[in-house]
Amino acid sequence: MSSGQVTKRVKYKTSVKDAGTPGRLSLVKERLVFRPNNPNSASKLDMQFKYITNHRYTKEGSNKAPMLNLTSNQGASYIFEFESYEDLHICRDFVGCANLMKFGHKGVAELLHRQQKLQILELIRKFIQNNPAEMICSSVQGCCKTIDYVLHSELQKLHQQFVGGGVLTEAEFWATRKKLLEKDANRKAKQRGGLKSSVLAESKPFIDGRTNRVTFNLTPEIVREIFSEKPAVHRAYLNFVPSKMADKDFWTKYCRAEYLQRSKNIAAAIAEAAEDEELAIFLKPDDILANETRRKIRRVDPTLDMETDQGDDYSHLPDHGIFRDGSKEVAESGNELYQRTLLQDLNRHAAVVLQGTPIDEEQLKDTQTVAEALERSKQERSTASKDDESSADQERLKGISQAMTIDDLRGSNDHHLAPLWIKVLSVLTHNISSTKYNLGKKPGESLLDSLPTSVRDELLHHHISIEELMKHFWSSYPITNKYLNTKVTKLKDEMSKMDSQLQKLKEAVQPDIRHQITLLIRPMQQALEAAMQHYDAEQQKRASKAREKPNGYS
Amino acid sequence: MKFQIEEVTVYFPYDNIYPEQYTYMVELKRALDAKGHCLLEMPTGTGKTIALLSLITSYALAKTESPIKLIYCTRTVHEMEKTLAELKFLHNYQVKHLGAAAKMLAIGLSSRKNLCVNPTVSSAENRDSVDAACRKLTASWVRSMAAENPNQPTCEFYENYDRAAGGAVLPAGVYTLEDLRAFGKEKGWCPYFLARHMVQFANVVVYSYQYLLDPKVAGIISKEMQKESVVVFDEAHNIDNVCIEALSVSVRRQTLEGAIRNISRIENEIDRFKDIDAGRLRAEYNRLVEGLALRGDLSASDAWLANPALPDDILRQAVPGNIRRAEHFLHVLRRLVQYLKVKLDTDKVEKESPVSFVASINSDAGIDQKALKFCYDRLHSLLMTLEITDTDEFLHIQTICDFATLVGTYARGFSIIIEPFDERMPLIPDPVLQLCCHDASLAIKPVFDRFQSVVITSGTLSPIDLYPRLLNFHPVVSRSFKMSLTRDCICPMVLTRGSDQLPVSTKFDMRSDPGVVRNYGKLLVEMVSIVPDGIVCFFVSYSYMDGIINSWNESGILKDIMQHKLVFIETQDVVETTLALDNYRRACDCGRGAVFFSVARGKVAEGIDFDRHYGRLVIMFGVPFQYTESKILRARLEYLRDTFQIKEGDFLTFDALIDVMNIKLTDRNLNQRQAAQCVGRVIRSKADYGMMIFADKRYSRHDKRSKLPGWILSHLRDANLNLSTDMALHIAREFLRKMAQPYEKTGSTTGRKTLLSQEDVEKLGNNGAQEMLY
């Protein structure tokens, strides 16, 4: 996002009521450029972000068009109308981020002061989330660095301390950061409810036992399921209701067909279908589905495509090969036209559930609405997603060929960058932070506040650096390659350094607060000790193994 | 990594290698050096294919003075695609490290159905109609007609390919079927004919068994393969069955009726030709007199399925006089069909040897053995002369002629069995006359004779000494490798009781017991709630699966299962099953998780892998059985006993078709190959893990259990031999927790290395592999 370039189709306006000039708005690192579609038009624009002082935008959900209003330091305003809110949001974030950068250290500090902390955090989170770790590393020199540094001055210190000190590489440092921030962000993503796994339409018809009446229960949810699983029924509904028959008659017929189907009374089904052509529609095999199947089978993963085997199999020409040696099962032949089995229905159902629902819960009002909403979304999908589908397939095929490789024979690629969430670590941090806050004599009064500022800052900084070190340390286990081994050794050296620093700090402070300091430092030391013990134990294990088997072999 | 095995530098596309793979390569190299055949067994999950491909391609690179070609045979097209994907990966690696010198041409070959890019042809329903639709556009006479008449449709892809002639070549690279189609579309050349043409130049050819073993196909595709080839049969544990199937034909009522229609149609054609172009029939007659069944220069697009008999057994003689004239030949065919019709009209089972069968045809229908033998050639010539392109319509008469040729050619190794109905369904009359081959060595003999090295390899080839006898060859290397695991990553369990402590089984008297059905259902309901990703269930048969799913649906168990995972099911429709499998994988990939219901003898069990998250648990409901009283099976056993002195017990234990001890008691028996196939595909590598549950009380008996493959048995702990649902659940939970822990991949904690680095391999090379590993 911020590191790259954003180009959107917009209308540029000088005032809200202006009809606007259609064109393209490009946002690059430090400037925004507007190019009208008509090259002769005078309303070109090319300005740097630093001249923009304020930005406003229309809220989603209001019935206004999606617009972004930028105000320059000369008081002029530039209004851009976007095609969608999505575009607007992307550009808004970009401008927001750029704005932050412009403020630099001071500006952001000021903003923080103005209690817009949450907003800024959100912006940064988005930035980090949308960019791969490598990108962040490369643009560390640029904008992100500024913001992050200013926001977390601790982070800056940590970065200098560890990356500058050669303990960690840029990539390692940012990979962990990115994952931590992602975790918060993911929680917020809005999820749409999927279809239920269980087959609703299979719910048993109600038979009252006294009369021959059979009752089926249909809710809009079931209808949605029927329509998405049986496109021919959906088509029939759109064609027949209400022009040819009433909603109720349609479903009566449908249920009648279902009943015949389920009672496995094929003879009766054939007889009734011959008399009633609408009923026959429900009993016939679904032609839309058959077409879809034909289309899908071409895009199936070739490593499991059993259909191609059939096309290749010359020894099973009709009547060639061994026909009856008891190994093949005797297939019951029947009237194929009216044989839809439960197994087929289950497969179809699972496929639809997997594909996901195109319509929301809100649209589940009555059958008519469901039918129409489904039709609309189908059309949208068929026009919009053809390209997506093929590219998605390409992606998938790539994934398949990757899956062909044998994982554990590969040397590790970037496994060392994957951060691990380790229980020991979180327990430790929890302990440490709880002692930190519980040590105060009275509730509400923190022990930290009673300490001299310099000592307090130093203490907090130590705590944060130890935390960072621990994260990297524990996520390096188990050591599966050399890379991790060297990383751990480096970390261990850093930890012992840290330990001695703590010791020094303890000795340097005034005797009257030494006791409190010791209490505060103890959990940190415990954490360090735990890590070092683990390190030593591992090291010993490895050494003893190497001794036992001089060749690495027995 | 790159390492030496003696003088050969092996390029292996990974940073590490399993010790089994290394020794496998060493053995394979010995066989190649000795220019002999070999038999290698190595469990699944050890990367057999990549080891094989690496060694052979590296070997070819090292021995540039006598280039060898690799012919890699797979059982199915999807296995072919998998092999090509691995080869692509390897090839990229080799080119990266060796540069242009490592470039090679590797192609997968399949039928027109799978390769055609002409939209009008490829839209045809099945393989035979695609073949016919292609011939309608590409047969030589169609094309010469098109030269005169511009309205005659032809195939532009074939025409372009033909026009490009020698210029139509594939650049170096590895081509899957999809790659071939894409290339063909781009160039406008027919991928099928291009691939067939390139087969003789390719360094690696991957195709299915039949292209080498079935004389009907091999006769056209594999005629010109050089002797300096290494032939690999992968997953070859069923190779004997492929061999006997290739030479077997069965005739049913439908066949005969179709054949009669075919004969009338041919008769009409002959009459038509007599009117318009009598010279053509005369020319054919003269050609037959001269002893040529077919014009020598048959264009590739005219080629039809070849002679069903093996190349050495085909007589290079003139077609006998009594069937040279088209009308006479038709009379002979009519009499033959009539004779078979009478034969088929029986109400008891008959078994005959080919010799007596031929003798009775001679006395009853007046057709001598030589005429029978030439039926195939004569029919082929006639259809060519009559310029018939809709070959898919003539499959019935072709079957009859194939039958006649085979029965006229082979006096031993075959028998003819006539059955009036399937013994399992005695009420439905469905007479069938089967010419079945018993001797697997017949079909494979030309392959052993023709090629320098033949490698037969699989995950399960035990007992390994039986294969040389069955296939009648002398391997220079015959080895069976064990898999060394880094950790206990497979967890087999035998479940004998349900959650109510009552026994579960698919034994005949128990299978429809509602208690058993419910207990099986409860087991699955419990398992879906604790096992992540994919679970595969195998049932003993389609009908059993269908029944049990329906009753689970009735009782709400299915609904409970679906609360946790999506359900996909194998059906008898291949297309539907393929889509279900594809969706199953998607569901496992996206984390939703799914259950796949499948059948122990079905197509899925035969060749689909459920490795990694696609199969964290495999449940085998019941003991797979085979109907053992089959006449064909009995005849085969008899033959094996008489000719190869393979005792019935030996073969059956090997084939595990039946459990001889219990034949009287149950009639239903554990099939080792089947059970092993179902559960043997859970492991992809040593980092992978999976559980297997054998849910039947009979598995707790030693004699049943001992038929499971050794690598499963070695992980089956005594404590897991007699479990109930709750105990199995507990073990599964523990196992999954254990597997989630990080572990040392090289296995140095267990004392024996299970993963070798570059360094280790070099050490091995210096010290001699054998002492180090064993």
Side-chain angles (χ1 to χ4, degrees), chain B residues 359-371:
Chain B
S360 58
I361 292 186
N362 200 2
S363 60
D364 294 1
I367 309 170
D368 62 3
Q369 182 238 352
K370 200 170 174 199

Side-chain angles (χ1 to χ4, degrees), chain A residues 191-216:
Chain A
Q191 277 199 330
R192 268 165 85 189
L195 283 173
K196 288 215 173 64
S197 291
S198 50
V199 187
L200 298 166
E202 271 300 320
S203 49
K204 274 183 223 158
F206 175 72
I207 302 169
D208 67 3
R210 277 176 302 163
T211 55
N212 280 334
R213 180 177 298 176
V214 179
T215 320
F216 284 83

Side-chain angles (χ1 to χ4, degrees), chain B residues 472-707:
Chain B
N472 194 21
F473 76 112
H474 302 285
V476 292
V477 174
S478 167
R479 273 288 297 271
S480 178
F481 298 91
K482 292 232 158 42
M483 185 176 184
S484 61
L485 287 174
T486 320
R487 51 178 184 169
D488 274 337
C489 63
I490 34 184
C491 176
M493 295 176 239
V494 171
L495 181 127
T496 53
R497 286 159 292 139
S499 45
D500 55 5
Q501 304 303 321
L502 290 174
V504 291
S505 177
T506 55
K507 230 172 107 183
F508 186 68
D509 52 345
M510 283 176 76
R511 57 166 44 186
S512 44
D513 179 348
V516 172
V517 170
R518 194 183 53 241
N519 269 329
Y520 275 153
K522 287 271 186 254
L523 168 67
L524 187 56
V525 170
E526 297 283 0
M527 285 298 166
V528 288
S529 65
I530 64 152
V531 178
D533 301 325
I535 295 183
V536 198
C537 301
F538 286 100
F539 297 89
V540 288
S541 68
Y542 276 114
S543 52
Y544 183 65
M545 178 173 78
D546 195 60
I548 206 167
I549 290 176
N550 271 296
S551 52
W552 284 351
N553 185 38
E554 300 277 306
S555 58
I557 288 177
L558 200 61
K559 210 171 161 192
D560 291 344
I561 294 171
M562 288 201 280
Q563 294 273 315
H564 296 279
K565 291 189 192 297
L566 291 174
V567 170
F568 294 97
I569 307 167
E570 172 179 10
T571 65
Q572 284 176 318
D573 178 20
V574 176
V575 174
E576 196 183 332
T577 306
T578 303
L579 286 179
L581 264 175
D582 195 54
N583 282 327
Y584 170 78
R585 289 215 168 165
R586 280 172 205 260
C588 292
D589 285 337
C590 75
R592 175 120 198 182
V595 189
F596 195 84
F597 289 145
S598 180
V599 174
R601 288 186 171 280
K603 284 207 155 56
V604 172
E606 214 171 60
I608 301 292
D609 294 345
F610 291 101
D611 53 346
R612 295 172 296 137
H613 59 295
Y614 300 129
R616 285 299 177 214
L617 170 66
V618 176
I619 306 180
M620 176 80 238
F621 289 107
V623 181
F625 61 88
Q626 183 174 18
Y627 179 69
T628 52
E629 289 297 284
S630 150
K631 294 286 173 299
I632 291 187
L633 182 66
R634 290 274 140 210
R636 187 167 177 214
L637 290 174
E638 225 166 82
Y639 178 81
L640 288 176
R641 194 187 54 216
D642 296 347
T643 359
F644 295 111
Q645 287 76 49
I646 296 173
K647 272 185 272 164
E648 183 169 315
D650 273 0
F651 181 75
L652 290 175
T653 329
F654 146 72
D655 205 29
L657 289 170
I658 57 169
D659 182 345
V660 183
M661 302 301 290
N662 293 301
I663 192 157
K664 291 270 151 43
L665 293 171
T666 58
D667 262 10
R668 281 141 238 282
N669 301 282
L670 170 63
N671 180 324
Q672 175 185 335
R673 285 187 189 181
Q674 297 301 333
Q677 262 172 16
C678 297
V679 295
R681 303 176 164 274
V682 241
I683 307 291
R684 163 88 192 142
S685 68
K686 293 180 183 179
D688 200 357
Y689 59 92
M691 297 180 283
M692 303 144 196
I693 295 181
F694 297 93
D696 193 300
K697 66 168 184 177
R698 286 172 288 170
Y699 285 110
S700 66
R701 289 198 335 236
H702 177 74
D703 55 315
K704 288 278 180 199
R705 204 174 54 236
S706 62
K707 300 220 162 74

Side-chain angles (χ1 to χ4, degrees), chain A residues 197 204 308-309 311-314 316 319-321 324 328-330 347 404-406 408-409 411 553-554, chain B residues 14-16 18 77 110-111 114 127 208 210-211 245 248 250 255 402 430 542 562 569 592 684 751 756:
Chain A
S197 291
K204 274 183 223 158
T308 53
D309 297 340
D312 197 44
D313 185 356
Y314 278 97
H316 294 99
D319 299 329
H320 285 76
R324 192 183 286 163
K328 286 162 201 108
E329 222 172 296
V330 203
N347 276 336
M404 294 303 306
T405 57
I406 305 170
D408 57 340
L409 289 185
Y553 252 93
S554 63
Chain B
Y14 293 101
D15 300 327
N16 299 301
Y18 296 138
V77 179
S110 183
S111 60
N114 292 339
R127 181 201 54 238
S208 62
Q210 302 153 16
Y211 284 60
E245 292 228 1
S248 301
S250 48
T255 326
D402 282 352
D430 180 19
Y542 276 114
M562 288 201 280
I569 307 167
R592 175 120 198 182
R684 163 88 192 142
L756 305 180

